[in-house]
Amino acid sequence: MSSVIGNNIKISIFGESHGDCVGCVIDGLPAGFEIDMQDVNKEMARRAPGKDKTSTPRKEDDLPKVISGFLNGKTTGAPLAMIIENKNTKSGDYSNLMKVPRPSHSDYPAFIKFGANNDIRGGGHFSARLTAPLVFAGAIAKQILAGKDIFIGAHIKKIGSVCDSGFDYNNIEKELLEHLSSKSFSVIDEKCEELMRCEIEKYRSSGNSVGGEIECAVIGLPVGIGGNIFDTVEGKISSFVFGVPAVKGIQFGLGFGFAESNGASVNDGYEVKNGKIRTLSNNNGGVLGGMTSGAPIVFSVAMKPTPSISTAQKSVNLETMENEELVISGRHDPCVAVRAVPVIEAAAALAVLDLIM
Amino acid sequence: MSSVIGNNIKISIFGESHGDCVGCVIDGLPAGFEIDMQDVNKEMARRAPGKDKTSTPRKEDDLPKVISGFLNGKTTGAPLAMIIENKNTKSGDYSNLMKVPRPSHSDYPAFIKFGANNDIRGGGHFSARLTAPLVFAGAIAKQILAGKDIFIGAHIKKIGSVCDSGFDYNNIEKELLEHLSSKSFSVIDEKCEELMRCEIEKYRSSGNSVGGEIECAVIGLPVGIGGNIFDTVEGKISSFVFGVPAVKGIQFGLGFGFAESNGASVNDGYEVKNGKIRTLSNNNGGVLGGMTSGAPIVFSVAMKPTPSISTAQKSVNLETMENEELVISGRHDPCVAVRAVPVIEAAAALAVLDLIM
Amino acid sequence: MSSVIGNNIKISIFGESHGDCVGCVIDGLPAGFEIDMQDVNKEMARRAPGKDKTSTPRKEDDLPKVISGFLNGKTTGAPLAMIIENKNTKSGDYSNLMKVPRPSHSDYPAFIKFGANNDIRGGGHFSARLTAPLVFAGAIAKQILAGKDIFIGAHIKKIGSVCDSGFDYNNIEKELLEHLSSKSFSVIDEKCEELMRCEIEKYRSSGNSVGGEIECAVIGLPVGIGGNIFDTVEGKISSFVFGVPAVKGIQFGLGFGFAESNGASVNDGYEVKNGKIRTLSNNNGGVLGGMTSGAPIVFSVAMKPTPSISTAQKSVNLETMENEELVISGRHDPCVAVRAVPVIEAAAALAVLDLIM
Amino acid sequence: MSSVIGNNIKISIFGESHGDCVGCVIDGLPAGFEIDMQDVNKEMARRAPGKDKTSTPRKEDDLPKVISGFLNGKTTGAPLAMIIENKNTKSGDYSNLMKVPRPSHSDYPAFIKFGANNDIRGGGHFSARLTAPLVFAGAIAKQILAGKDIFIGAHIKKIGSVCDSGFDYNNIEKELLEHLSSKSFSVIDEKCEELMRCEIEKYRSSGNSVGGEIECAVIGLPVGIGGNIFDTVEGKISSFVFGVPAVKGIQFGLGFGFAESNGASVNDGYEVKNGKIRTLSNNNGGVLGGMTSGAPIVFSVAMKPTPSISTAQKSVNLETMENEELVISGRHDPCVAVRAVPVIEAAAALAVLDLIM
């Protein structure tokens, strides 16, 4: 039962949605690394709520306060701890949820697991607000990786029925990733943004929510990173990514498309080009035998629709043990996939940093 | 770089495809557990090669020899170690692969990672033969779980263009899982077996291979298993399952189907039935907020087509650094998904055992 | 390179002596546990500096502020995070230490390891001030253990040439442990306190420091806790205890006295008494084959004299690479063993809690 | 409950004293390392029983058989697995021990822990025979370390009332360590061997046993190895060393001598010599703030007298729950410290390798 992850870099995340704060401790960062805090704050802003109708109206400035491990603009080598205060909380909204669990949310299993002692307000420790410290830690990881010419970027591949162009698996430029990483609504094909916003609004306006898919790429890793049977690049990235609320699936390269494919069509042959070996295609998403192949790592994750919707739902009263209709009145994103883009990038960055350190 | 996994149960897997043996050490089993070795051998037989045209013609009886931790038919509480001798090896087949890596296989990254010191014969430590000890360990885990009324079973959901019926997510009977677990070609809709065998033969006969999808279910887990942010049921199962060669994706419940769904349609409401709370549907595949919801755990994995095909492929010569055509002459399964069914069950069983101990 | 420890309970410690704060995150506490904060503060007060001449004159009230995982007086099951602000810092004292490392202190290896980026002020992350969060976490662990009838207490066994009575290994009462745990200067034989205070004053008044030995006992553990080869009670306790600055040795039961002993004299025979099995003696300090024997766990630790003394010492200037005399002007305990008693209890409590959960 | 240890190098030990074999899996070794098996066998011979009256008369040739991870004389990068067959077992000797536990041995707690399912023959998994695979793994670690100019050696510092000269903490030559590592009875002062053998014989001849102390040194480590609070060199070495049966204490440098010392006398000052910084003394045993100081690492361990003695002892019958006298008739070392020297070296080598990889 742990909110700690990593072998070489250990990230410990704490806090609750409506408690004093959320935060994290990052253990194992190299000493003397100059953190660009302005850049970190840009990443925080990408995830921050309250910007427009695609996100919850809860406004939080999400300014991280570093309280240890950082001196004169550089890491000291001691654990780096950070907190973000919670300011705009409205806990009254959640008063009835302790008794009547929200469908498809952590409420019911958490109630059983923690014997009703968990902090239900705003989802408590299970809230998507806990991704703020993840983005903070990931922003630092991305800076460290950039110093090693490793770059990460993601985009919204799909929302409901609207699809963005996908990455060209075998040919992903640093410029594209940096461009995607600079946006608060990340798509490759700019025309998609408006279509996706409409799709979200369609569901939001009717008190509903919609799911999405996020595609992420990592370039610049050397060949042979990752290891033996249980130390695969896929397993490592998955263990970080499933820590992000609402993620329900992950696939590398063709992923589930492989089930319908034949080897002759999808095998990634090799060629020598300019004295270097490279794959002719990258259906494997940059991972072979659990190790990096030198091609870009490409994976995508499925995100379920926000379970908190304002239309009436069937639930039960845990006290009376009778069926009860539930109407949720809190403030929620109609589509978590939009703000989850920097979170997936952060999870990937931390997984990759843990792999190479 | 590790072939060890697990927190409470630790499984260490060793061996190479054409070395002396493959085997494993299982650390943390309860003492005094009576292992039904006949049942273990049945599981081994499900995975064993050489049965028919859907698998490699390499014949191995795959009889596990327990060499520690087991006395008078029971576990002693000390680590249980087991080896399976390799008998039917034809290493001559692999003589050219050290220089010319097979596309979509571990050869090239392993060559770089291990500086050409890795055992390339039969894929060495990266061979699917290493799943034999995984099935052994999983068979014991399944027996322990059955004693706690937890049951696991899987079936081939798809091979190429042929699909089996899927699980009824919210209503999976022990009898169905036991039935699937007793078969060497596991499908729910019996008619599919012949169609799938034809699909495989179509590719095999032309020196090609085909991918597949395996769906797995776990029933009987109490509510609230799994934990905080990075200790999710999804992350735990993924970390075991990506240890199985050829797995390229995993999804829980609707998985990637969530991306196109809206909350009102896919949220899993609750009802009280016979004094107990249960979900009205199970699109979340039995996991909410990373914890078990009480509904069956249902997940599926994508398996890529066997990369080793006998048609000519584009590769490179690592010595001369020139392009070179590769024709693979070894013995290989035309579709790994068939024999992988008990392997996925085993990985799931070990992950679940690790979660509840 | 980690300030995280534990398998079932994970404690992550952060902060620096002269930074904003010190603190910790405790992951894996049971939900719904009612923490007696008054009792926690008593433990904090035992460790707090500034009380009298046996400790540093730096005064800190050391009031822990819980910032997550705690609601309505109970644990929520989410990670419990806590910070203690640093108030009475005088960082000017440390200005020359970055260049001229204090003998027997972490300064020089930390300078090399962290490339001079570490926070040297007050010893930074290596300061004994980091034991404050350890005592906080340990105080909670002790409360949980007390609920299971497991009790822990320690006393100063030796300071310089003054020795306290030792525990009667095979017969330690809860009342004695509770008595020791309530004191700020813990000795079994009350007469020793004055003698030890004189011994310390002798060294303090001459700008010197003195070492000590602390003996700790744990009663109430069932037989058979601890495990196979690398999961011994001794190893577990050691891994926590060596996290306490200045500890340079640990021994269980007779410990180093065993080297001069013969089996016939020191073997711990068994008897049946009132229908229960117990050992006739407890030279093994309650641990056999790495497992608890049912007798009290008794161990002692050696603590070196505070390296920071005010007499002139031989050191080097890391910039000029020339020999340089060093006079340390900061505020330091003349004998760390006094305030380390609750710290050793805390480390033991956390190790034991990690073993039994 | 684990016989697995290590973060970067993982060692999994299995087997029982009177089972088929003992063995280990070493995960994480660098690929392409040429193992000198003749040298490994020399280390095995140092530990092997049956040589003379200081050890058990059980004769085992202890030839390790490598079964994976090793090809053409080099490591492959896959887990290296090894087994040693048990040949000279006489299990009849142990028939009564299941009911009447040997004092100071693992028998009683193991009986309770494993519910009488543990293999009691020869001590089963708790037997000192399990140190054979540890020595094997350590021998490989020593070879890898030697390639990095890191050397390890140990000697018997004390047996009963006979003491060897100690290491000169601050000045230990590679030649001395290699000399000690080549012997089966390792002492610095050669005259001590005869005296110690007499001391052992005195106890052996009267059906008794005697304890001892082993001192071990590691030279050649760079400054700054080891890490933050819970990742100390002391903690790491302890966690490996307490896996060796009969170890009851460990101290670094002056260790328990610090308790009687004052800072002015024992602080290790610095000097610049030939342009390099070195300590003027090494009372800290090469570790400051948990990190290497550049001076030799020196630690010693206390080993209790072999608990299995042939004189009658007080025990209990676990079936009848009555007191019962026990006479042990098996074959045992009269002093485990002699054969434990290469075991302590091995544990230190593995701990150090785990620290630097």
Side-chain angles (χ1 to χ4, degrees), chain C residues 195-227:
Chain C
L195 296 170
M196 286 178 172
R197 285 187 184 276
C198 288
E199 184 82 354
I200 295 170
E201 181 58 19
K202 186 176 78 184
Y203 290 101
R204 193 199 66 79
S205 61
S206 61
N208 202 344
S209 63
V210 62
E213 184 177 341
I214 294 171
E215 191 179 46
C216 183
V218 186
I219 62 167
L221 278 166
V223 178
I225 298 295

mmCIF file of all heavy atoms in Angstrom, chain C residues 195-227:
data_model
loop_
_atom_site.group_PDB
_atom_site.id
_atom_site.type_symbol
_atom_site.label_atom_id
_atom_site.label_comp_id
_atom_site.label_asym_id
_atom_site.label_seq_id
_atom_site.Cartn_x
_atom_site.Cartn_y
_atom_site.Cartn_z
ATOM 1 N N LEU C 195 26.365 10.778 37.957
ATOM 2 C CA LEU C 195 27.727 10.415 37.563
ATOM 3 C C LEU C 195 27.961 10.650 36.073
ATOM 4 O O LEU C 195 29.016 11.129 35.654
ATOM 5 C CB LEU C 195 27.994 8.939 37.909
ATOM 6 C CG LEU C 195 27.974 8.588 39.395
ATOM 7 C CD1 LEU C 195 28.001 7.067 39.588
ATOM 8 C CD2 LEU C 195 29.178 9.246 40.094
ATOM 9 N N MET C 196 26.961 10.300 35.296
ATOM 10 C CA MET C 196 27.095 10.487 33.847
ATOM 11 C C MET C 196 27.113 11.971 33.489
ATOM 12 O O MET C 196 27.877 12.408 32.629
ATOM 13 C CB MET C 196 25.959 9.782 33.115
ATOM 14 C CG MET C 196 26.130 8.259 33.092
ATOM 15 S SD MET C 196 24.739 7.440 32.264
ATOM 16 C CE MET C 196 25.336 5.735 32.169
ATOM 17 N N ARG C 197 26.275 12.741 34.156
ATOM 18 C CA ARG C 197 26.272 14.184 33.897
ATOM 19 C C ARG C 197 27.638 14.790 34.224
ATOM 20 O O ARG C 197 28.131 15.676 33.499
ATOM 21 C CB ARG C 197 25.184 14.875 34.726
ATOM 22 C CG ARG C 197 23.766 14.639 34.182
ATOM 23 C CD ARG C 197 22.742 15.489 34.943
ATOM 24 N NE ARG C 197 21.379 15.224 34.516
ATOM 25 C CZ ARG C 197 20.795 15.801 33.454
ATOM 26 N NH1 ARG C 197 21.465 16.685 32.727
ATOM 27 N NH2 ARG C 197 19.557 15.495 33.133
ATOM 28 N N CYS C 198 28.253 14.305 35.305
ATOM 29 C CA CYS C 198 29.594 14.792 35.654
ATOM 30 C C CYS C 198 30.600 14.412 34.577
ATOM 31 O O CYS C 198 31.449 15.213 34.182
ATOM 32 C CB CYS C 198 30.048 14.192 36.988
ATOM 33 S SG CYS C 198 29.184 14.872 38.393
ATOM 34 N N GLU C 199 30.491 13.163 34.139
ATOM 35 C CA GLU C 199 31.404 12.685 33.090
ATOM 36 C C GLU C 199 31.295 13.557 31.835
ATOM 37 O O GLU C 199 32.301 13.971 31.256
ATOM 38 C CB GLU C 199 31.062 11.224 32.754
ATOM 39 C CG GLU C 199 31.980 10.557 31.764
ATOM 40 C CD GLU C 199 33.265 10.011 32.384
ATOM 41 O OE1 GLU C 199 33.507 10.252 33.598
ATOM 42 O OE2 GLU C 199 34.038 9.353 31.656
ATOM 43 N N ILE C 200 30.062 13.846 31.457
ATOM 44 C CA ILE C 200 29.851 14.686 30.268
ATOM 45 C C ILE C 200 30.416 16.079 30.501
ATOM 46 O O ILE C 200 31.129 16.645 29.661
ATOM 47 C CB ILE C 200 28.348 14.777 29.923
ATOM 48 C CG1 ILE C 200 27.813 13.395 29.520
ATOM 49 C CG2 ILE C 200 28.109 15.785 28.800
ATOM 50 C CD1 ILE C 200 26.299 13.324 29.402
ATOM 51 N N GLU C 201 30.121 16.640 31.689
ATOM 52 C CA GLU C 201 30.566 18.006 31.989
ATOM 53 C C GLU C 201 32.088 18.108 31.951
ATOM 54 O O GLU C 201 32.635 19.105 31.482
ATOM 55 C CB GLU C 201 30.032 18.437 33.361
ATOM 56 C CG GLU C 201 30.414 19.842 33.767
ATOM 57 C CD GLU C 201 29.945 20.922 32.786
ATOM 58 O OE1 GLU C 201 29.027 20.647 31.983
ATOM 59 O OE2 GLU C 201 30.525 22.024 32.787
ATOM 60 N N LYS C 202 32.731 17.041 32.401
ATOM 61 C CA LYS C 202 34.187 16.999 32.393
ATOM 62 C C LYS C 202 34.705 17.249 30.978
ATOM 63 O O LYS C 202 35.642 18.032 30.767
ATOM 64 C CB LYS C 202 34.658 15.636 32.910
ATOM 65 C CG LYS C 202 36.142 15.486 33.094
ATOM 66 C CD LYS C 202 36.494 14.116 33.697
ATOM 67 C CE LYS C 202 36.440 13.017 32.663
ATOM 68 N NZ LYS C 202 36.685 11.675 33.205
ATOM 69 N N TYR C 203 34.093 16.578 30.014
ATOM 70 C CA TYR C 203 34.541 16.738 28.634
ATOM 71 C C TYR C 203 34.047 18.052 28.037
ATOM 72 O O TYR C 203 34.773 18.758 27.352
ATOM 73 C CB TYR C 203 34.091 15.538 27.792
ATOM 74 C CG TYR C 203 34.845 14.286 28.177
ATOM 75 C CD1 TYR C 203 34.273 13.326 29.003
ATOM 76 C CD2 TYR C 203 36.157 14.083 27.739
ATOM 77 C CE1 TYR C 203 34.970 12.195 29.379
ATOM 78 C CE2 TYR C 203 36.870 12.950 28.106
ATOM 79 C CZ TYR C 203 36.271 12.006 28.922
ATOM 80 O OH TYR C 203 36.978 10.906 29.293
ATOM 81 N N ARG C 204 32.783 18.386 28.332
ATOM 82 C CA ARG C 204 32.218 19.592 27.762
ATOM 83 C C ARG C 204 33.009 20.835 28.161
ATOM 84 O O ARG C 204 33.345 21.696 27.343
ATOM 85 C CB ARG C 204 30.758 19.777 28.213
ATOM 86 C CG ARG C 204 29.974 20.854 27.431
ATOM 87 C CD ARG C 204 28.732 21.316 28.170
ATOM 88 N NE ARG C 204 29.061 22.020 29.388
ATOM 89 C CZ ARG C 204 29.459 23.297 29.451
ATOM 90 N NH1 ARG C 204 29.546 24.002 28.351
ATOM 91 N NH2 ARG C 204 29.768 23.851 30.610
ATOM 92 N N SER C 205 33.334 20.889 29.453
ATOM 93 C CA SER C 205 33.981 22.083 29.976
ATOM 94 C C SER C 205 35.359 22.295 29.366
ATOM 95 O O SER C 205 35.870 23.409 29.348
ATOM 96 C CB SER C 205 34.068 21.996 31.507
ATOM 97 O OG SER C 205 34.833 20.861 31.861
ATOM 98 N N SER C 206 35.951 21.222 28.864
ATOM 99 C CA SER C 206 37.267 21.367 28.241
ATOM 100 C C SER C 206 37.159 21.395 26.716
ATOM 101 O O SER C 206 38.140 21.123 26.029
ATOM 102 C CB SER C 206 38.178 20.229 28.699
ATOM 103 O OG SER C 206 37.634 18.986 28.306
ATOM 104 N N GLY C 207 35.967 21.691 26.222
ATOM 105 C CA GLY C 207 35.810 21.787 24.763
ATOM 106 C C GLY C 207 35.924 20.444 24.068
ATOM 107 O O GLY C 207 36.259 20.363 22.890
ATOM 108 N N ASN C 208 35.615 19.389 24.783
ATOM 109 C CA ASN C 208 35.756 18.049 24.244
ATOM 110 C C ASN C 208 34.378 17.374 24.217
ATOM 111 O O ASN C 208 33.353 17.979 24.555
ATOM 112 C CB ASN C 208 36.739 17.264 25.138
ATOM 113 C CG ASN C 208 37.378 16.083 24.401
ATOM 114 O OD1 ASN C 208 36.907 15.657 23.354
ATOM 115 N ND2 ASN C 208 38.447 15.562 24.980
ATOM 116 N N SER C 209 34.323 16.119 23.828
ATOM 117 C CA SER C 209 33.066 15.372 23.786
ATOM 118 C C SER C 209 33.360 13.938 24.211
ATOM 119 O O SER C 209 34.518 13.537 24.310
ATOM 120 C CB SER C 209 32.478 15.383 22.370
ATOM 121 O OG SER C 209 33.356 14.719 21.471
ATOM 122 N N VAL C 210 32.292 13.164 24.442
ATOM 123 C CA VAL C 210 32.503 11.794 24.926
ATOM 124 C C VAL C 210 31.466 10.865 24.282
ATOM 125 O O VAL C 210 30.357 11.282 23.957
ATOM 126 C CB VAL C 210 32.437 11.757 26.476
ATOM 127 C CG1 VAL C 210 31.058 12.188 26.988
ATOM 128 C CG2 VAL C 210 32.788 10.374 27.023
ATOM 129 N N GLY C 211 31.860 9.598 24.076
ATOM 130 C CA GLY C 211 30.984 8.611 23.449
ATOM 131 C C GLY C 211 30.085 7.912 24.454
ATOM 132 O O GLY C 211 30.080 8.235 25.648
ATOM 133 N N GLY C 212 29.305 6.952 23.970
ATOM 134 C CA GLY C 212 28.407 6.246 24.859
ATOM 135 C C GLY C 212 27.855 4.985 24.226
ATOM 136 O O GLY C 212 28.129 4.675 23.057
ATOM 137 N N GLU C 213 27.109 4.241 25.037
ATOM 138 C CA GLU C 213 26.460 3.031 24.539
ATOM 139 C C GLU C 213 25.015 3.057 25.019
ATOM 140 O O GLU C 213 24.737 3.421 26.162
ATOM 141 C CB GLU C 213 27.194 1.782 25.069
ATOM 142 C CG GLU C 213 26.643 0.482 24.512
ATOM 143 C CD GLU C 213 27.430 -0.750 24.997
ATOM 144 O OE1 GLU C 213 28.585 -0.586 25.459
ATOM 145 O OE2 GLU C 213 26.881 -1.868 24.933
ATOM 146 N N ILE C 214 24.115 2.714 24.136
ATOM 147 C CA ILE C 214 22.690 2.692 24.471
ATOM 148 C C ILE C 214 22.180 1.269 24.332
ATOM 149 O O ILE C 214 22.466 0.600 23.333
ATOM 150 C CB ILE C 214 21.901 3.632 23.536
ATOM 151 C CG1 ILE C 214 22.315 5.083 23.787
ATOM 152 C CG2 ILE C 214 20.398 3.476 23.744
ATOM 153 C CD1 ILE C 214 21.755 6.055 22.764
ATOM 154 N N GLU C 215 21.440 0.821 25.343
ATOM 155 C CA GLU C 215 20.885 -0.534 25.302
ATOM 156 C C GLU C 215 19.376 -0.429 25.160
ATOM 157 O O GLU C 215 18.736 0.369 25.841
ATOM 158 C CB GLU C 215 21.252 -1.272 26.589
ATOM 159 C CG GLU C 215 20.950 -2.759 26.549
ATOM 160 C CD GLU C 215 21.340 -3.474 27.844
ATOM 161 O OE1 GLU C 215 21.019 -2.949 28.935
ATOM 162 O OE2 GLU C 215 21.955 -4.546 27.769
ATOM 163 N N CYS C 216 18.820 -1.228 24.278
ATOM 164 C CA CYS C 216 17.404 -1.136 23.953
ATOM 165 C C CYS C 216 16.750 -2.517 24.033
ATOM 166 O O CYS C 216 17.372 -3.521 23.678
ATOM 167 C CB CYS C 216 17.265 -0.559 22.542
ATOM 168 S SG CYS C 216 15.556 -0.303 21.990
ATOM 169 N N ALA C 217 15.530 -2.567 24.517
ATOM 170 C CA ALA C 217 14.813 -3.840 24.605
ATOM 171 C C ALA C 217 13.426 -3.721 23.989
ATOM 172 O O ALA C 217 12.795 -2.665 24.028
ATOM 173 C CB ALA C 217 14.695 -4.273 26.066
ATOM 174 N N VAL C 218 12.979 -4.836 23.421
ATOM 175 C CA VAL C 218 11.631 -4.940 22.855
ATOM 176 C C VAL C 218 10.989 -6.192 23.447
ATOM 177 O O VAL C 218 11.558 -7.282 23.337
ATOM 178 C CB VAL C 218 11.674 -5.083 21.316
ATOM 179 C CG1 VAL C 218 10.257 -5.046 20.742
ATOM 180 C CG2 VAL C 218 12.561 -4.033 20.675
ATOM 181 N N ILE C 219 9.857 -6.026 24.088
ATOM 182 C CA ILE C 219 9.162 -7.207 24.628
ATOM 183 C C ILE C 219 7.782 -7.360 24.001
ATOM 184 O O ILE C 219 7.202 -6.399 23.503
ATOM 185 C CB ILE C 219 9.021 -7.150 26.166
ATOM 186 C CG1 ILE C 219 8.176 -5.936 26.585
ATOM 187 C CG2 ILE C 219 10.383 -7.115 26.851
ATOM 188 C CD1 ILE C 219 7.730 -5.982 28.041
ATOM 189 N N GLY C 220 7.303 -8.593 23.999
ATOM 190 C CA GLY C 220 5.936 -8.844 23.549
ATOM 191 C C GLY C 220 5.805 -9.408 22.153
ATOM 192 O O GLY C 220 4.699 -9.707 21.700
ATOM 193 N N LEU C 221 6.934 -9.553 21.435
ATOM 194 C CA LEU C 221 6.845 -10.108 20.085
ATOM 195 C C LEU C 221 6.583 -11.604 20.142
ATOM 196 O O LEU C 221 7.185 -12.314 20.947
ATOM 197 C CB LEU C 221 8.151 -9.849 19.325
ATOM 198 C CG LEU C 221 8.268 -8.456 18.717
ATOM 199 C CD1 LEU C 221 9.706 -8.189 18.285
ATOM 200 C CD2 LEU C 221 7.343 -8.333 17.515
ATOM 201 N N PRO C 222 5.737 -12.113 19.286
ATOM 202 C CA PRO C 222 5.521 -13.563 19.239
ATOM 203 C C PRO C 222 6.760 -14.291 18.706
ATOM 204 O O PRO C 222 7.651 -13.660 18.134
ATOM 205 C CB PRO C 222 4.345 -13.708 18.268
ATOM 206 C CG PRO C 222 4.305 -12.454 17.491
ATOM 207 C CD PRO C 222 4.910 -11.378 18.337
ATOM 208 N N VAL C 223 6.794 -15.593 18.900
ATOM 209 C CA VAL C 223 7.906 -16.417 18.400
ATOM 210 C C VAL C 223 7.830 -16.530 16.879
ATOM 211 O O VAL C 223 6.736 -16.655 16.323
ATOM 212 C CB VAL C 223 7.829 -17.833 19.015
ATOM 213 C CG1 VAL C 223 8.959 -18.727 18.477
ATOM 214 C CG2 VAL C 223 7.878 -17.759 20.523
ATOM 215 N N GLY C 224 8.989 -16.470 16.215
ATOM 216 C CA GLY C 224 9.027 -16.770 14.778
ATOM 217 C C GLY C 224 8.899 -15.571 13.857
ATOM 218 O O GLY C 224 8.751 -15.728 12.648
ATOM 219 N N ILE C 225 8.968 -14.358 14.403
ATOM 220 C CA ILE C 225 8.993 -13.159 13.557
ATOM 221 C C ILE C 225 10.387 -13.047 12.931
ATOM 222 O O ILE C 225 11.388 -13.368 13.559
ATOM 223 C CB ILE C 225 8.704 -11.894 14.390
ATOM 224 C CG1 ILE C 225 7.317 -11.958 15.013
ATOM 225 C CG2 ILE C 225 8.860 -10.616 13.549
ATOM 226 C CD1 ILE C 225 6.178 -11.942 14.045
ATOM 227 N N GLY C 226 10.455 -12.534 11.725
ATOM 228 C CA GLY C 226 11.732 -12.474 11.009
ATOM 229 C C GLY C 226 11.809 -13.680 10.121
ATOM 230 O O GLY C 226 10.985 -14.588 10.239
ATOM 231 N N GLY C 227 12.789 -13.697 9.226
ATOM 232 C CA GLY C 227 12.636 -14.727 8.230
ATOM 233 C C GLY C 227 13.886 -15.424 7.803
ATOM 234 O O GLY C 227 14.803 -15.632 8.604
#
